[in-house]
């Protein structure tokens, strides 16, 4: 009986440590998105991001409103790529519905659920017209419009 308890404790500690490592990798990925350009064809980056076992709590705490707005303002192309990559990953799971991909799909849904309200919010209200000026706000609104309703040529 003592061995069973010890095994369960070890398994629990491994799960916590694994979750912590996953969280750190997720934080690293989001930091990279806010500091440097990440191309859509960076397969290694995107595969690792979607394969992380992030809980909804992790996604919502790491992708804070401030960090999402910063990403939208300073690296809109990365935000656009993140959304398109998540959507493409979901389409791939629909095309090849194997259970091994379901956790990746769930991760995509969590990320999109967190991001989209901030993409769709009134940019002038969230950024303040005085911060970036009217011209910057209008340009950002045009990019959001293109991302959501454009032809999808990837030119953003």
């Amino acid at each position: 009986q003592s061995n069973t308890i010890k095994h369960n404790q070890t398994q629990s500690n491994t799960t916590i440590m694994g979750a912590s490592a996953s969280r750190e990798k997720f934080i690293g990925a989001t930091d990279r998105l806010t500091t440097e350009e990440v191309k859509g064809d960076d397969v290694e980056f995107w595969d690792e991001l979607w394969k992380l076992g992030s809980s909804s709590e992790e996604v919502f705490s790491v992708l804070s409103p401030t960090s999402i707005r910063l990403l939208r303002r300073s690296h809109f192309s990365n935000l656009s790529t993140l959304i398109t990559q998540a959507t493409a990953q979901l389409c791939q799971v629909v095309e090849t519905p194997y259970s091994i991909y379901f956790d990746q799909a769930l991760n995509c849904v969590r990320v999109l659920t967190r991001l989209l309200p901030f993409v769709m919010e009134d940019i002038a209200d969230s950024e303040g017209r005085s911060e970036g000026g009217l011209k910057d706000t209008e340009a950002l609104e045009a990019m959001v419009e293109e991302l959501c309703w454009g032809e999808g040529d990837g030119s953003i």
Side-chain angles (χ1 to χ4, degrees):
Q1 186 176 8
S2 175
N3 288 340
T4 304
I5 293 170
K6 189 174 184 177
H7 174 70
N8 287 343
Q9 287 174 340
T10 304
Q11 193 173 30
S12 177
N13 288 341
T14 303
T15 302
I16 291 168
M17 287 172 45
S20 176
S22 173
R23 179 183 170 82
E24 291 303 314
K25 286 182 179 181
F26 189 67
I27 290 170
T30 57
D31 285 348
R32 184 172 168 200
L33 286 168
T34 58
T35 58
E36 64 184 78
E37 187 175 355
V38 180
K39 297 284 190 185
D41 61 359
D42 187 344
V43 177
E44 184 178 327
F45 176 83
W46 297 109
D47 279 350
E48 185 173 331
L49 179 66
W50 303 130
K51 289 178 182 175
L52 292 174
S54 303
S55 69
S56 56
E57 291 82 10
E58 288 174 329
V59 169
F60 276 65
S61 69
V62 172
L63 291 174
S64 68
T66 303
S67 67
I68 297 169
R69 289 180 183 125
L70 173 66
L71 181 61
R72 182 181 65 190
R73 186 177 56 250
S74 63
H75 286 86
F76 189 85
S77 63
N78 282 351
L79 177 62
S80 176
T81 302
L82 179 59
I83 291 169
T84 15
Q85 287 291 329
T87 305
Q89 186 75 17
L90 287 173
C91 291
Q92 183 177 348
V93 171
V94 168
E95 293 294 318
T96 54
Y98 300 118
S99 60
I100 60 170
Y101 300 125
F102 292 170
D103 286 338
Q104 292 176 31
L106 187 55
N107 206 25
C108 293
V109 169
R110 288 174 175 147
V111 168
L112 289 170
T113 300
R114 184 58 170 166
L115 292 176
L116 290 176
F118 294 97
V119 171
M120 303 306 292
E121 75 183 350
D122 185 350
I123 294 167
D125 288 343
S126 68
E127 301 290 336
R129 291 205 185 265
S130 61
E131 185 176 316
L134 182 60
K135 183 178 179 183
D136 290 344
T137 301
E138 289 174 348
L140 194 53
E141 287 173 346
M143 289 188 294
V144 169
E145 181 76 18
E146 178 64 26
L147 170 64
C148 296
W149 312 113
E151 295 292 320
D153 63 356
S155 63
I156 293 178

